Amino acid sequence: MTYAARWIDESEHRRFNDFLAKHPKGHVLQSWEWGEIKSRTGWKPWRLVIEENHEIVAAASILERKIPVVGIPIFYASRGPVADWKNVELFDLVLAEIRSLAKARGAIFLKVDPDIPSSEKELEQYLLSRGFRSAESGKGFEGVQPKYVFRLDISPDEETLLKNMQQKTRYNIRLAQKKGVHIRKGTREDLPEFYRVLKETTERDRFLVRAYSYFEDLYDSLVPVGLGELFIAEYEGNIISGTLAFVIGNKAWYIYGASSNAHRNVMPNYLIQWEMIRWAKSLGCTLYDFRGVPGHLTEDNPLYGLYRFKKGFNGEYTEFIGEWDLVYRPVTYFLWNHLEPLYSEVIKGLISKLRRARRG
């Protein structure tokens, strides 16, 4: 086969996204808009297409970030590249093009975390044969992107989807409806209240949250072009829950969830998930991804409640192949692996102290 590789610019923005929407492994984190969002948080996006007879057959959005202080870049293809992983000739070309860019930019390594289940051992063997090494971190949800998720096939009709859920989940959806919880699509004006509830959630569950400006950027970049949606749950005139979803092609993802400490007994989180599933179906989606759950599934895990909540919708528990690094500069990579965890812990510790001081 004769393939042609090109790094593209803004003029092919729509064509790039159209390919992602149609490809079985297309992901919103590979979209043009996601690269633009990340460009405002210290990353530089590069977009690659591989064509055959002037038709795109593979694509990659590569994010470049310079390491603080030393200024040496790293590459990251979030949930990419988007290609047929079993077409070795095609994927070898993708990697060769990225390697050429990495050489020109002086990048240390390329990180990938493909949307591929761990059961596909052939891919693991391919990555190893091309010089990749496993880069599992074992923290939080086990990676930059979650390694473990629940995914629900939403192609059946609504009645069947409800019937397949756990009885308690169905009950809680109907309870929320009976109690008068109202779910609607959020507007730009709802963002401040959504963020307030999100901060309430993070303080209760003890995890970090990004700045309000980041959520403004997510909304402004994704919602108007149909790649995202904000959902709001109201009860007695008050916003008590909210979610942010991403969508591209026939796939939708639940990304952020916020729930107030008040009125948790009316079960808004169950109903808002159900309305998000119905929304995804209305767009022609066949896959709904509940995103991260813990890999350690015993009941003493602090995140077990999250696992149980998502499991109730009858999605398939999925383990991805995880993070893999293709190293271009071995010595620098060794230093990065030993210093980056220390740097991250110091920064997180400072953020925690600042927050405690503010609350005090």
Side-chain angles (χ1 to χ4, degrees):
M1 296 183 186
T2 303
Y3 295 122
R6 292 187 299 113
W7 294 95
I8 62 172
D9 60 25
E10 171 66 31
S11 65
E12 298 186 72
H13 169 173
R14 181 171 292 183
R15 185 167 175 253
F16 186 83
N17 277 2
D18 285 347
F19 169 75
L20 297 180
K22 293 172 185 174
H23 196 280
K25 292 301 176 185
H27 202 289
V28 74
L29 299 187
Q30 280 284 292
S31 70
W32 194 280
E33 284 74 10
W34 188 252
E36 293 304 294
I37 290 168
K38 300 305 287 184
S39 74
R40 294 185 281 274
T41 62
W43 296 84
K44 178 179 176 60
W46 302 87
R47 286 88 171 196
L48 172 70
V49 296
I50 309 295
E51 295 169 307
E52 182 184 13
N53 298 324
H54 306 290
E55 293 291 326
I56 300 176
V57 292
S61 177
I62 304 298
L63 298 173
E64 174 189 329
R65 189 187 79 189
K66 291 184 177 179
I67 297 173
V69 183
V70 295
I72 304 173
I74 61 174
F75 279 5
Y76 177 37
S78 181
R79 291 299 192 226
V82 179
D84 178 359
W85 291 82
K86 295 180 181 179
N87 184 335
V88 173
E89 180 186 357
L90 176 60
F91 205 77
D92 279 351
L93 178 56
V94 172
L95 294 181
E97 291 298 318
I98 297 172
R99 180 182 289 274
S100 294
L101 179 65
K103 184 177 180 181
R105 302 292 295 177
I108 303 170
F109 66 94
L110 164 70
K111 181 179 292 293
V112 300
D113 49 13
D115 186 351
I116 305 289
S118 60
S119 57
E120 295 200 23
K121 297 300 182 184
E122 287 181 17
L123 173 58
E124 184 175 326
Q125 291 306 310
Y126 169 81
L127 293 174
L128 289 168
S129 72
R130 293 320 187 257
F132 280 88
R133 60 184 75 182
S134 177
E136 298 297 283
S137 66
K139 294 181 181 179
F141 286 170
E142 284 74 39
V144 181
Q145 300 300 326
K147 184 178 181 181
Y148 305 94
V149 301
F150 272 113
R151 309 178 99 182
L152 179 64
D153 175 5
I154 59 172
S155 54
D157 59 48
E158 291 183 14
E159 184 179 348
T160 302
L161 289 172
L162 281 167
K163 182 180 178 181
N164 289 341
M165 292 176 192
Q166 291 183 0
Q167 189 275 334
K168 184 177 180 181
T169 300
R170 278 197 311 273
Y171 174 83
N172 286 337
I173 290 171
R174 288 165 179 158
L175 175 66
Q177 292 170 327
K178 184 178 178 181
K179 293 288 186 181
V181 176
H182 172 61
I183 310 297
R184 62 175 174 84
K185 290 181 181 178
T187 66
R188 184 67 161 70
E189 289 67 35
D190 290 313
L191 274 180
E193 190 64 9
F194 167 76
Y195 190 71
R196 182 194 66 77
V197 177
L198 181 60
K199 285 185 71 177
E200 197 174 319
T201 307
T202 61
E203 288 170 8
R204 180 182 67 235
D205 296 339
R206 297 182 181 179
F207 60 89
L208 298 175
V209 63
R210 289 180 180 268
Y212 174 68
S213 59
Y214 182 74
F215 292 90
E216 288 183 301
D217 199 12
L218 286 183
Y219 189 96
D220 294 340
S221 300
L222 299 177
V223 175
V225 297
L227 294 177
E229 196 67 76
L230 177 67
F231 289 85
I232 297 295
E234 292 179 318
Y235 179 67
E236 296 180 346
N238 297 311
I239 293 177
I240 60 170
S241 182
T243 54
L244 186 63
F246 292 171
V247 62
I248 194 168
N250 64 354
K251 298 175 283 293
W253 295 264
Y254 160 49
I255 301 295
Y256 287 103
S259 62
S260 172
N261 293 329
H263 306 297
R264 298 181 76 184
N265 60 314
V266 298
M267 303 299 170
N269 296 337
Y270 288 87
L271 183 57
I272 205 168
Q273 287 293 334
W274 174 236
E275 291 302 325
M276 289 167 73
I277 290 168
R278 295 182 67 235
W279 160 77
K281 280 184 65 65
S282 75
L283 296 178
C285 293
T286 55
L287 177 69
Y288 183 86
D289 192 322
F290 289 89
R291 289 273 286 176
V293 290
H296 179 53
L297 299 177
T298 59
E299 293 189 21
D300 60 350
N301 188 303
L303 296 169
Y304 185 78
L306 178 68
Y307 165 82
R308 187 172 53 195
F309 168 73
K310 294 181 178 181
K311 179 178 172 63
F313 290 87
N314 196 43
E316 180 182 358
Y317 181 69
T318 304
E319 177 184 357
F320 291 126
I321 198 167
E323 294 180 10
W324 294 78
D325 290 351
L326 181 57
V327 179
Y328 306 123
R329 301 175 62 176
V331 174
T332 315
Y333 179 79
F334 175 83
L335 293 172
W336 158 263
N337 265 351
H338 286 78
L339 295 177
E340 190 276 336
L342 177 62
Y343 172 81
S344 295
E345 290 305 316
V346 168
I347 294 299
K348 286 177 183 176
L350 287 172
I351 292 172
S352 258
K353 285 179 183 177
L354 286 171
R355 285 184 175 157
R356 283 198 299 270
R358 251 184 270 160
R359 286 198 296 267

